[in-house]
Amino acid sequence: ARRACRIMGKTKVAINGAGGRMGRRLMALACADEDVELVQAVEYAAHPLQGKMVKDIEPEAQSEVVLSSQLEKGADVVIDFSSPDGTRVIAKRAEELGIALVIGTTAKDFEWRADIKKSSAKVPMIHAQNYSLGVNLMFKVAGQIAKALGDDFDIEIVEGHHNQKVDAPSGTAMGIAGGICDAVGKDIKKDLIYGREGQVGKRKRGEVGVHALRMGSEIGLHTAYYASNFERLEFTHRASSRDVFAAGAIKASKWINGKDAGYYEMTDVLGL
């Protein structure tokens, strides 16, 4: 059985996807946090940085931990910002080893998310669309606004990210859409429109549009538009540094350490 109470001391953290943009910032912030010990850095076996020390991958992370290809015993929590396939592998491995999961990998694949969630029967897990305080507030408030305004207002969600992002729409955009759909009783699998092209006809009352921009070095830009025939409300979140997400994931890893097996939300961590 999982420990029901937090044992005092540092949270021992492993990072999966350590060679990526987010992985590097996670290593830097983990090494800077006096309540965290970075014990493992994991990447897929053929990654070009395999065998290198963390400090050589991310100069801000002064650690001599060596990049490896498999999660091993010794970590309390593994933070995963990798790929859908990488997440699937690490979730099963964490299950086997009894290591808590903090997952930030995103994909617009409902079956994949449901499959990953199964590991929470064995270990504590958070699988958040976004780890920032502001965005998690946005998830909640976007739904409250939609409910208050009603179907006289057309809702469109626009997200923007850097030109290296491989999935669309972003997990954050889907989180905003989820908050809106939950609040007004829509079906996230059926009621979203992803972009428009050709003779699509006039806009249907109650549909929610979702659109993705890919441009330059944009870290994260999300706007929910609510427009009637007479006025428009724009609700925007801008991320100015990737560290906002890394810091949130580190906070979540400290919070989940020692929790019972189960599926937790970032709102639990933030007390929202």
Side-chain angles (χ1 to χ4, degrees), residues 103-106 113 126-131 136 139 263 266:
I103 301 172
T105 305
T106 58
R113 282 191 72 86
I126 296 171
H127 189 179
Q129 303 276 31
N130 190 294
Y131 280 90
N136 279 278
F139 290 162
Y263 192 79
M266 198 56 193

Side-chain angles (χ1 to χ4, degrees), residues 21-266:
R21 281 182 175 78
M22 276 301 302
R24 292 173 196 223
R25 296 316 302 154
L26 283 161
M27 293 191 297
L29 268 63
C31 288
D33 192 318
E34 61 185 20
D35 295 323
V36 171
E37 182 184 353
L38 178 65
V39 294
Q40 287 181 63
V42 184
E43 264 293 359
Y44 62 91
H47 195 281
L49 295 173
Q50 274 299 347
K52 287 194 179 295
M53 285 185 187
V54 164
K55 66 181 183 180
D56 296 326
I57 298 167
E58 172 50 65
E60 282 186 48
Q62 284 303 301
S63 167
E64 295 190 354
V65 166
V66 174
L67 194 67
S68 62
S69 61
Q70 174 140 293
L71 182 66
E72 302 292 353
K73 282 183 179 177
D76 297 314
V77 184
V78 58
I79 304 175
D80 169 76
F81 279 78
S82 58
S83 66
D85 286 343
T87 301
R88 205 185 290 275
V89 170
I90 210 76
K92 288 292 179 196
R93 182 69 176 157
E95 231 184 276
E96 291 168 15
L97 299 174
I99 296 172
L101 283 154
V102 172
I103 301 172
T105 305
T106 58
K108 192 186 80 65
D109 183 335
F110 299 105
E111 288 179 14
W112 170 76
R113 282 191 72 86
D115 198 35
I116 297 302
K117 189 174 181 178
K118 290 175 185 172
S119 293
S120 65
K122 301 270 182 69
V123 293
M125 172 195 287
I126 296 171
H127 189 179
Q129 303 276 31
N130 190 294
Y131 280 90
S132 91
L133 173 58
V135 164
N136 279 278
L137 274 171
M138 190 176 189
F139 290 162
K140 197 167 189 175
V141 176
Q144 292 171 345
I145 294 171
K147 191 172 183 180
L149 295 177
D151 269 354
D152 285 342
F153 281 72
D154 299 329
I155 301 174
E156 300 279 318
I157 299 164
V158 179
E159 60 97 340
H161 282 87
H162 55 88
N163 55 26
Q164 301 300 302
K165 186 167 175 63
V166 297
D167 62 309
S170 66
T172 302
M174 294 304 293
I176 296 166
I180 290 168
C181 289
D182 288 347
V184 298
K186 294 185 188 300
D187 185 341
I188 196 169
K189 295 181 183 178
K190 295 178 183 173
D191 293 332
L192 302 187
I193 302 295
Y194 299 101
R196 295 183 180 87
E197 182 182 13
Q199 299 297 310
V200 295
K202 68 178 186 179
R203 192 185 199 283
K204 293 186 180 69
R205 183 178 172 88
E207 75 183 24
V208 177
V210 183
H211 313 276
L213 312 177
R214 294 293 173 263
M215 49 191 184
S217 58
E218 180 63 58
I219 291 168
L221 173 64
H222 294 85
T223 300
Y225 295 89
Y226 306 82
S228 73
N229 290 339
F230 311 108
E231 60 182 327
R232 183 172 80 218
L233 176 65
E234 300 179 12
F235 184 18
T236 295
H237 179 275
R238 288 185 176 87
S240 50
S241 166
R242 268 187 194 84
D243 284 8
V244 71
F245 312 125
I250 297 285
K251 184 183 179 98
S253 71
K254 292 190 282 187
W255 181 90
I256 206 169
N257 182 21
K259 293 282 189 292
D260 290 332
Y263 192 79
Y264 299 93
E265 303 282 353
M266 198 56 193

